């Protein structure tokens, strides 16, 4: 449908009527608003759904990692105690070499927990990194990173 119609008699275009203009601009406004509202609501729902998903997936893993840290510390402590019990005479050279070996394994286990398992250094099982707000923030970061 053309907004302008050509008159056969004089070759001039006549102006569209008020009703035609109103319908045309109303349709443009409505389609623009609905398309933007739909897009924004889809992005917001993606972020919220992603926040709930990330939180549900990661909280149990974070708890398991936090439960493992005291066990790592207990193992090193027990190894050091057993090491001192096995020594017939406590000599600084022998003890230092053995203690360094066990402490390096402890350090490696802590670094592994931080770099690969995502441990943040806090052992309290009631404090999480993956709260709903943290997960929402992560979800927003993911969508903005993918969007670029």
């Amino acid at each position: 449908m053309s907004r302008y119609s050509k008159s056969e008699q004089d070759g001039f275009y006549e102006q569209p009527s008020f009703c035609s203009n109103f319908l045309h601009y109303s349709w443009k406004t409505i389609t623009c608003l609905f398309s933007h509202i739909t897009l924004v609501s889809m992005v917001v729902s993606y972020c919220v759904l992603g926040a709930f998903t990330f939180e549900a997936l990661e909280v149990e893993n974070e708890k398991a990692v936090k439960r493992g840290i005291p066990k790592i510390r207990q193992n090193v402590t027990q190894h050091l105690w057993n090491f001192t019990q096995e020594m017939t005479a406590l000599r600084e050279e022998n003890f230092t070499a053995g203690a360094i070996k066990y402490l390096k394994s402890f350090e490696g286990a802590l670094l592994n927990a931080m770099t690969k398992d995502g441990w943040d250094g806090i052992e309290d099982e009631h404090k999480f990194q993956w709260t709903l707000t943290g997960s929402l923030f992560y979800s927003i970061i993911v969508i903005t990173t993918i969007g670029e």
Side-chain angles (χ1 to χ4, degrees), residues 76 97-111:
V76 170
I100 287 173
K101 175 184 153 190
Y102 289 124
L103 290 175
K104 282 191 179 203
S105 71
F106 176 64
E107 180 184 14
L110 286 181
L111 284 174

Side-chain angles (χ1 to χ4, degrees), residues 62-138:
E62 188 174 353
K63 284 181 184 178
V65 169
K66 287 185 179 195
R67 283 186 207 117
I69 298 299
K71 292 176 186 173
I72 293 172
R73 186 183 303 109
Q74 181 62 33
N75 286 341
V76 170
T77 307
Q78 190 62 42
H79 280 291
L80 285 174
W81 178 250
N82 291 341
F83 179 66
T84 57
Q85 293 295 319
E86 292 170 2
M87 297 180 82
T88 54
L90 191 60
R91 295 188 177 260
E92 184 177 355
E93 304 86 29
N94 296 339
F95 177 78
T96 305
I100 287 173
K101 175 184 153 190
Y102 289 124
L103 290 175
K104 282 191 179 203
S105 71
F106 176 64
E107 180 184 14
L110 286 181
L111 284 174
N112 186 35
M114 287 181 173
T115 57
K116 292 196 170 60
D117 298 333
W119 182 53
D120 61 350
I122 299 172
E123 293 182 40
D124 186 7
E125 287 188 34
H126 302 292
K127 294 181 180 177
F128 302 115
Q129 290 178 353
W130 289 100
T131 60
L132 185 60
T133 54
S135 300
L136 180 63
F137 178 70
Y138 184 74

Side-chain angles (χ1 to χ4, degrees), residues 23-44:
L23 287 175
H24 175 75
Y25 288 114
S26 296
W27 178 253
K28 290 287 187 186
T29 304
I30 288 170
T31 56
C32 181
L33 284 176
F34 280 128
S35 65
H36 285 82
I37 289 170
T38 303
L39 180 64
V40 167
S41 61
M42 286 178 65
V43 169
V44 168

